[in-house]
Amino acid sequence: TCTRETLAATTGDRIPEGAAVLAGHGVRVGVWRWPQDPALPALACAADPVRLAATLRAAGLRRDDVPQVRMRAYRPGRRAVLEVSGGGPRLYVKVVRPGTVEALRERHELLATHVPVPRPLATTDDGMLVLSECAGTSMRSQLSRDLAVPSPAGLDALLDALPPALLDMPRRSTHLERVPHFAAVLAATAVAGEADRALLDAVAAALAAADPGTHPDVAVHGDFYDGQLLCSDHRVTGLVDVDTAGPGHRIDEWATLLAHLSVLA
């Protein structure tokens, strides 16, 4: 019998406990097979339609039929998002590390009274968060088909509606503060020759020397771009992936959106 398997591998301090570790020549690599992610113990259940249906029934979310489960996103060792359809309303299951699931649920509950985020429906102790579906189509899809999207003023109003209570959440570093990290990732994955490396070093040095200006801490989404926004005509109908919502700088929200739009263009 032939099967197709998906394997994940990581090195350094991101090897989770429970991964199979291969070592040699001074390098240690942690390996596991989807969906047996040692850092996301709920993933094996979430990816199994029969086990997931039983979990949903136990949470009072009736699923008499075995649902269809489709993976929408997976960041090994960090989080996964699965779409659940059939036998009832479409749901989304987000799988995170067990120690973060309650904080994520609280963030959704806080935001749901101010902006159109998915409503949290159930959680499990091992890191599963069940979310409702938001109406609308992704702004990225709308743009790719030359259809109507929200105006900049509408997006600004959405950001203004984020609750001030987010300022009590942990603060992420700003984009400029993260330049050394971004440069290191590019150097390891995308820079092929000495000329490219020199250019990367020059850009990183220029950004390190740039005047960051003075920007107040405000409530931000933290990863604000067209793929996170659902819309209908010119209205925003959904804001998803709020894991990073908290205090930050509004200018970084616009920088994130503009960078993604430039790649899309």
Side-chain angles (χ1 to χ4, degrees):
T1 301
C2 294
T3 63
R4 180 171 180 168
E5 305 291 350
T6 299
L7 302 178
T10 186
T11 60
D13 60 1
R14 290 191 174 173
I15 299 177
E17 184 178 351
V21 177
L22 310 177
H25 304 287
V27 176
R28 298 175 73 250
V29 181
V31 182
W32 61 88
R33 179 172 66 101
W34 163 273
Q36 307 296 335
D37 190 319
L40 305 176
L43 183 56
C45 174
D48 183 324
V50 174
R51 293 175 61 190
L52 178 61
T55 299
L56 295 176
R57 286 195 296 270
L61 304 172
R62 298 298 304 178
R63 224 67 177 192
D64 294 324
D65 297 327
V66 175
Q68 295 178 328
V69 180
R70 182 163 70 102
M71 182 181 73
R72 297 297 299 267
Y74 178 47
R75 298 193 69 179
R78 294 189 175 187
R79 62 182 177 271
V81 178
L82 301 101
E83 178 184 329
V84 184
S85 58
R90 189 186 310 272
L91 302 174
Y92 289 87
V93 173
K94 177 163 278 192
V95 179
V96 295
R97 296 192 174 204
T100 66
V101 68
E102 279 305 318
L104 182 58
R105 177 180 184 135
E106 291 172 2
R107 189 177 267 110
H108 273 271
E109 290 174 340
L110 169 65
L111 287 165
T113 59
H114 298 82
V115 291
V117 302
R119 292 179 294 105
L121 303 176
T123 58
T124 62
D125 292 339
D126 57 357
M128 187 189 305
L129 173 63
V130 183
L131 298 167
S132 66
E133 180 184 25
C134 284
T137 307
S138 77
M139 182 174 165
R140 172 170 294 179
S141 175
Q142 295 286 90
L143 286 168
S144 68
R145 293 184 292 161
D146 291 328
L147 299 177
V149 296
S151 66
L155 298 179
D156 208 32
L158 175 68
L159 293 173
D160 284 340
L162 293 173
L166 285 176
L167 294 173
D168 296 328
M169 300 286 182
R171 184 183 181 279
R172 302 183 78 208
S173 54
T174 67
H175 284 352
L176 283 178
E177 290 168 347
R178 297 164 70 192
V179 164
H181 166 73
F182 294 141
V185 170
L186 287 172
T189 61
V191 174
E194 292 185 6
D196 287 344
R197 180 56 186 264
L199 176 60
L200 176 62
D201 289 344
V203 170
L207 290 172
D211 180 5
T214 301
H215 304 282
D217 272 358
V218 297
V220 299
H221 176 273
D223 195 19
F224 189 71
Y225 68 94
D226 48 290
Q228 313 284 42
L229 293 157
L230 302 178
C231 56
S232 178
D233 294 327
H234 297 281
R235 298 183 300 107
V236 176
T237 57
L239 179 64
V240 300
D241 284 347
V242 299
D243 308 46
T244 53
H249 295 166
R250 178 69 61 88
I251 193 173
D252 281 350
E253 300 279 81
W254 294 120
T256 301
L257 176 61
L258 293 173
H260 279 270
L261 291 179
S262 70
V263 173
L264 184 65

